[in-house]
Amino acid sequence: MGRGSPIILFRIACLLWISLLLAHSAPETALVTQIPGFSGTLPSKHYGGYVTIDETHGRRLFYYFVESERNPAKDPVVLWLNGGPGCSSFDGFVYEHGPFNFETKQGGLPKLHLNQYSWSKVSSVIYLDSPAGVGFSYSENKTDYITGDLKTSLDSHVFLLKWFELYPEFLSNPFFIAGESYAGVYVPTLAYDVVKGIDDGKKPILNFKGYLVGNGVTDEEFDGNALVPFAHGMGLISDDLYEEVNRACTGNFYRPQTDSCSSKLAKVEEDVDGLNIYDILEPCYYDAELMEAKDSKIRLPSSFQQLGKTDRPLPVRKRMFGRAWPLRAPVRDGIVPTWPQLLNGESVPCTDDEVAMSWLNNEAVRRAIHAEDVNVAGVWELCTDRIEFRHDAGSMIKYHKNLTLRGLRALIFSGDHDMCVPFTGSQAWTRSMGYKVVDEWRPWTSNRQIAGYTQGYENNLTFLTIKGAGHTVPEYKPKEALDFYSRFLAGQPI
């Protein structure tokens, strides 16, 4: 053998060691072997646990990882983020696109059935509770609960780097970031930090391909001006009122400059007050006792006393809560109150999600998914008041422009009957990017039916509506959501 043979043998040994590491390196202690409420065989491997972001503070973020049911070795890995701010990503897991449908049971744990429209049909999904203080994530240093957009993004980036160190077998898989509502801020800010990390050579190098944002808050002006044209287009206000408010406000509806503008906007609010803002097509949950309980300190639309009644099979969500900055207001710089903070500790009628609360606060469930007990991580809540959150990243448009100009694929999707973050705002800001239209406005189909409309722009930016869907698209239109999700991840036309 030549003089170089020891080096060659060493390299071969290293490659063998790496291949063995990659073949089976997911932490076995995180493996979920059984799930209370579910009696069948899991369709793929599930993992749950914590990643420590800051050893000194004891800041730990909780994740639940569902491997793809199709081909986990090659299918994309998607990080899912719910919004709020302050809301747990188990919202998406329980009510939207997780592997189970939950059936309520009186006096016991919900019964779990397999969800045929789970996003794990075509991808592996990481559900992350972020920032610390949300869901099962926590810190031993309570100053960490004073946070904001930029700190949340940095922590989530640290989480990703550490997570892929724990699961290196997924490093070569295409990686995407997805979320909805206030995650319209979380997703692009995190995507920017991921790209910056790749540029800076931070290890491990993620195979980052793109991102998805559903009914996401984006920009103060565009979001703030979205309601009036939405209400008019949906037939919720008259032509006369629409013309009057346009004249009085000169197109600026989110920050009225005159008394006349304010009074006209008050009329708009009066007309839409009784609607379910998360889906104007849905009836509202009604509870006679709660309707009679009135508190002058709570200034909420009357519909919030009735939210979320539905005739769908397994209608587990009777209540909706805190998916975005409340009361249809745009997100502005500064403190963004969570729902409990907004109401000064008063309870909002019909706002807690009973199924998720009963399941995720069950001791056996927490043990099974490797979440800390109540004494450490606290009671699981859909949306928490533990954090003080500051919007400090400004408009997201500059982030979207930076990311798409780098060649990342972006899908901006909107349930077209959401009045909380109306599609009119998302449609307007995507158009404002100034990109050339490469796929003119057209219908897209699911199950040979028109499921919504889409417009494609250069630089891999796509805007998409989902017909008849509300704020949380996969909850309202699960099949259609899986269809566009699958096509986008595969790089196919929607």
Side-chain angles (χ1 to χ4, degrees), residues 12 19 68 83 96 98 100 201 238 274 306 327 363 381 386 398 413 435 453 471 485-486 491:
I12 291 172
S19 65
S68 173
E96 300 185 55
F100 307 111
S238 68
Q306 310 172 22
L327 307 190
E363 289 184 11
E381 295 176 299
R386 282 201 293 184
K398 59 183 180 293
F413 64 92
Y435 292 164
Y453 293 84
H471 189 58
Y485 177 79
S486 305

Side-chain angles (χ1 to χ4, degrees), residues 281-298:
L281 295 180
E282 287 283 315
C284 290
Y285 176 71
Y286 177 76
D287 185 311
E289 290 183 9
L290 290 168
M291 282 293 288
E292 292 170 3
K294 297 191 177 182
D295 189 327
S296 60
K297 291 183 286 186
I298 298 179

Side-chain angles (χ1 to χ4, degrees), residues 37-38 99-103 111-116 314:
F38 181 69
F100 307 111
N101 288 322
F102 289 70
E103 179 182 0
K111 185 176 181 181
L112 278 58
H113 307 268
L114 291 179
N115 177 12
Q116 62 178 319
L314 302 180

Side-chain angles (χ1 to χ4, degrees), residues 23-185:
H24 190 76
S25 52
E28 286 302 310
T29 55
L31 183 66
V32 175
T33 56
Q34 57 86 29
I35 297 178
F38 181 69
S39 58
T41 301
L42 292 176
S44 67
K45 288 185 176 180
H46 292 196
Y47 297 86
Y50 287 90
V51 169
T52 301
I53 302 303
D54 186 324
E55 295 279 358
T56 305
H57 280 201
R59 189 160 73 251
R60 307 177 74 202
L61 299 186
F62 184 84
Y63 70 91
Y64 193 92
F65 176 52
V66 183
E67 280 193 3
S68 173
E69 299 173 25
R70 187 175 60 182
N71 187 352
K74 293 185 178 180
D75 284 342
V77 175
V78 179
L79 177 74
W80 174 260
L81 301 167
N82 273 97
C87 298
S88 168
S89 289
F90 271 103
D91 190 354
F93 179 90
V94 173
Y95 295 112
E96 300 185 55
H97 44 63
F100 307 111
N101 288 322
F102 289 70
E103 179 182 0
T104 54
K105 289 184 71 178
Q106 292 295 327
L109 276 178
K111 185 176 181 181
L112 278 58
H113 307 268
L114 291 179
N115 177 12
Q116 62 178 319
Y117 302 121
S118 171
W119 283 9
S120 57
K121 295 291 182 186
V122 297
S123 69
S124 298
V125 184
I126 310 166
Y127 294 90
L128 174 64
D129 277 345
S130 177
V134 172
F136 289 127
S137 296
Y138 69 94
S139 176
E140 294 170 6
N141 188 322
K142 300 304 182 277
T143 62
D144 287 336
Y145 297 162
I146 301 171
T147 187
D149 300 331
L150 300 179
K151 182 179 176 183
T152 297
S153 179
L154 290 172
D155 274 5
S156 296
H157 185 216
V158 172
F159 165 84
L160 284 173
L161 296 177
K162 289 177 175 285
W163 188 90
F164 275 103
E165 286 178 351
L166 291 172
Y167 298 83
E169 64 270 38
F170 293 101
L171 264 173
S172 62
N173 297 54
F175 174 61
F176 294 82
I177 303 173
E180 66 192 9
S181 194
Y182 196 83
V185 176

Side-chain angles (χ1 to χ4, degrees), residues 99-420:
F100 307 111
N101 288 322
F102 289 70
E103 179 182 0
T104 54
K105 289 184 71 178
Q106 292 295 327
L109 276 178
K111 185 176 181 181
L112 278 58
H113 307 268
L114 291 179
N115 177 12
Q116 62 178 319
Y117 302 121
S118 171
W119 283 9
S120 57
K121 295 291 182 186
V122 297
S123 69
S124 298
V125 184
I126 310 166
Y127 294 90
L128 174 64
D129 277 345
S130 177
V134 172
F136 289 127
S137 296
Y138 69 94
S139 176
E140 294 170 6
N141 188 322
K142 300 304 182 277
T143 62
D144 287 336
Y145 297 162
I146 301 171
T147 187
D149 300 331
L150 300 179
K151 182 179 176 183
T152 297
S153 179
L154 290 172
D155 274 5
S156 296
H157 185 216
V158 172
F159 165 84
L160 284 173
L161 296 177
K162 289 177 175 285
W163 188 90
F164 275 103
E165 286 178 351
L166 291 172
Y167 298 83
E169 64 270 38
F170 293 101
L171 264 173
S172 62
N173 297 54
F175 174 61
F176 294 82
I177 303 173
E180 66 192 9
S181 194
Y182 196 83
V185 176
Y186 291 165
V187 170
T189 52
L190 175 56
Y192 175 79
D193 280 339
V194 167
V195 166
K196 189 172 182 298
I198 293 171
D199 288 346
D200 293 343
K202 288 188 177 179
K203 298 294 193 311
I205 302 295
L206 309 187
N207 187 18
F208 187 40
K209 296 298 185 183
Y211 60 95
L212 307 86
V213 175
N215 289 85
V217 296
T218 300
D219 174 87
E220 178 182 350
E221 182 176 349
F222 283 104
D223 292 339
N225 284 329
L227 173 65
V228 171
F230 173 86
H232 180 244
M234 289 292 172
L236 309 180
I237 61 174
S238 68
D239 287 345
D240 289 341
L241 179 54
Y242 180 62
E243 291 167 5
E244 289 171 9
V245 74
N246 259 317
R247 281 196 302 270
C249 299
T250 61
N252 179 4
F253 308 121
Y254 75 101
R255 189 172 279 171
Q257 302 295 315
T258 66
D259 290 342
S260 175
C261 176
S262 296
S263 67
K264 298 301 180 186
L265 288 173
K267 287 187 177 181
V268 174
E269 291 287 339
E270 185 179 340
D271 283 348
V272 302
D273 176 65
L275 293 168
N276 180 338
I277 71 167
Y278 293 114
D279 186 342
I280 63 170
L281 295 180
E282 287 283 315
C284 290
Y285 176 71
Y286 177 76
D287 185 311
E289 290 183 9
L290 290 168
M291 282 293 288
E292 292 170 3
K294 297 191 177 182
D295 189 327
S296 60
K297 291 183 286 186
I298 298 179
R299 296 182 64 254
L300 292 171
S302 59
S303 61
F304 274 80
Q305 299 172 345
Q306 310 172 22
L307 282 177
K309 185 178 179 181
T310 177
D311 294 324
R312 287 191 298 276
L314 302 180
V316 295
R317 190 199 290 279
K318 294 191 294 186
R319 302 159 166 86
M320 304 279 280
F321 184 37
R323 259 42 178 304
W325 175 248
L327 307 190
R328 302 177 292 272
V331 173
R332 294 178 172 140
D333 292 340
I335 296 294
V336 183
T338 63
W339 269 110
Q341 291 164 347
L342 184 75
L343 299 171
N344 297 316
E346 298 287 350
S347 61
V348 186
C350 299
T351 53
D352 57 327
D353 287 80
E354 292 176 346
V355 170
M357 285 285 288
S358 65
W359 191 65
L360 290 165
N361 284 307
N362 178 273
E363 289 184 11
V365 172
R366 292 174 80 130
R367 283 196 303 271
I369 66 176
H370 311 301
E372 295 282 11
D373 63 27
V374 173
N375 293 331
V376 177
V379 174
W380 183 91
E381 295 176 299
L382 183 66
C383 299
T384 185
D385 64 351
R386 282 201 293 184
I387 64 171
E388 180 180 308
F389 196 92
R390 181 174 294 274
H391 177 49
D392 54 14
S395 170
M396 291 299 104
I397 293 176
K398 59 183 180 293
Y399 287 88
H400 288 292
K401 183 156 284 192
N402 180 292
L403 295 165
T404 52
L405 286 175
R406 296 178 62 100
L408 291 169
R409 292 194 284 125
L411 176 62
I412 310 302
F413 64 92
S414 284
D416 67 5
H417 280 71
D418 175 29
M419 196 165 62
C420 186

